[in-house]
Amino acid sequence: MTGSPFLRRCLAGAAAARTGDEMSGPALLLAGFAAAGSAGEASALLAASTAASALGGPLLGVRLDRARRPGRLLAAALALYAAGLLAVLGALGRLPLPAVLALAAASGLLGPALSGGWTAQLPRLAPGDRLARANALDAMTYGAAALAGPALAGAVAVAFGAGPAVLVAAGLIAAALPAAWTLPARPDARPDGTSALGELAAGFRVLTSRPALARATLCSVGCCAGQGVLAACLPLLGEHALGGASRGPLLPACTAVAALLANAALVRRPGLLAPDAAVRLGALLQAAALAVSAASTHPLLLVAAAALAGLGEGPQLAGLFAVRHREAPAHLRGRISTTGASLKITAFAAGAALAGPLAARSVPTALALAAGLSAAAALPPPRLPWRAATNDHD
């Protein structure tokens, strides 16, 4: 049940779902920009589509940890997420903006299924010394998705419009359903003996009480806030520096290429970087890249900065997965992965929401803010007053 066919199926499904997810953000941003003609309203749509994951991720993680067939729960979440994207697309231009934002927020509840929901399955599918390589391969699916998703969003939007780009994103997410549905059962699944609130508390207690896990989580969350700021700037960067708003989402493709190459090196040499060091170094490289982008919007410098950010993002993600699997008790891995994903997605949404009005006034100022957020993420976190030692029976 833990052989390579299941791992390959999991990675293939994750790649398809994540590509659709990476495509959906820029596609929704462009669709909102086209419908409203405002960077502020477009960024509000992107923020709404991700903000609700703060609640959705932990709840989904509890259900995944309890489920004997977590793959079927994951498949249901993917189906609902794809349907939510179609509902938002259908509402744009037909319903008032608050109603569209509410639909986007509802679909965002299931966003963590596309990230942490898959990653939480890896220790079962690649146990022992194979897990480090599986972590790097899993991180590569993010890199491949981040490469293909924004590029597809930009290409489809240029050729056919923003609406079809959202349709293609939903189709890719739906294509991952068979892979999720056929993931193996968990014979060690725990019965529903504890309240959902108690299980949520157990996950947050482990997340905040284990220093290495807390450091890695806070670092990744800070970087995601900076990435959200950058995402809100992409249409304006494309318009001002690259010849068109729809070309802005092509910049993350450059980041994804570099991230993919960096993680390919980690697949060949899993011990090249210690996981904790990879998380912090990744934050510093992303901060430097954003600072370069803030200083100059020359196209070549923007491309170089995007590539530098990828050299940080790729190893940071693989290191984060390794820290989570190392620090989280086996029966809490689902909620640790999805809660961590929720925090990252929510930080991304907050960054995007904050940057929309700011970018409309000054793109360099918004990018400087993003650089500061990523740099601050590399600093050691303050010691939390409630942090206490825990054990694997939390």
Side-chain angles (χ1 to χ4, degrees), residues 134-148:
N135 285 333
L137 288 169
D138 189 37
M140 285 184 71
T141 69
Y142 281 92
L147 171 61

Side-chain angles (χ1 to χ4, degrees), residues 131-381:
L131 184 57
R133 184 170 183 270
N135 285 333
L137 288 169
D138 189 37
M140 285 184 71
T141 69
Y142 281 92
L147 171 61
L152 277 172
V156 175
V158 168
F160 304 105
V166 178
L167 289 175
V168 174
L172 284 169
I173 293 168
L177 292 176
W181 187 266
T182 55
L183 286 174
R186 289 180 60 219
D188 60 339
R190 294 193 171 194
D192 294 354
T194 307
S195 69
L197 184 60
E199 297 206 18
L200 283 173
F204 278 108
R205 190 162 57 246
V206 170
L207 196 61
T208 57
S209 64
R210 303 198 173 192
L213 184 56
R215 283 194 298 268
T217 299
L218 287 174
C219 190
S220 66
V221 166
C223 288
C224 278
Q227 291 163 16
V229 174
L230 174 62
C233 295
L234 289 177
L236 293 173
L237 278 174
E239 197 168 59
H240 296 161
L242 303 176
S246 61
R247 297 180 182 178
L250 298 177
L251 280 175
C254 301
T255 299
V257 169
L260 200 58
L261 291 174
N263 279 331
L266 292 180
V267 169
R268 295 177 63 88
R269 296 183 61 188
L272 188 62
L273 274 176
D276 305 86
V279 172
R280 292 187 65 190
L281 178 61
L284 293 174
L285 290 177
Q286 290 173 70
L290 288 164
V292 170
S293 299
S296 173
T297 56
H298 189 281
L300 290 180
L301 280 177
L302 288 177
V303 170
L308 178 62
L311 294 179
E313 280 187 28
Q316 183 186 58
L317 193 58
L320 177 64
F321 293 161
V323 172
R324 283 179 184 167
H325 295 321
R326 184 189 73 205
E327 298 291 328
H331 65 281
L332 296 177
R333 282 186 181 131
R335 75 202 70 173
I336 293 297
S337 292
T338 55
T339 298
S342 287
L343 293 172
K344 291 176 64 177
I345 295 170
T346 303
F348 183 94
L354 176 65
L358 183 59
R361 296 184 178 184
S362 172
V363 171
T365 301
L367 293 173
L369 170 64
L373 289 170
S374 295
L379 299 175

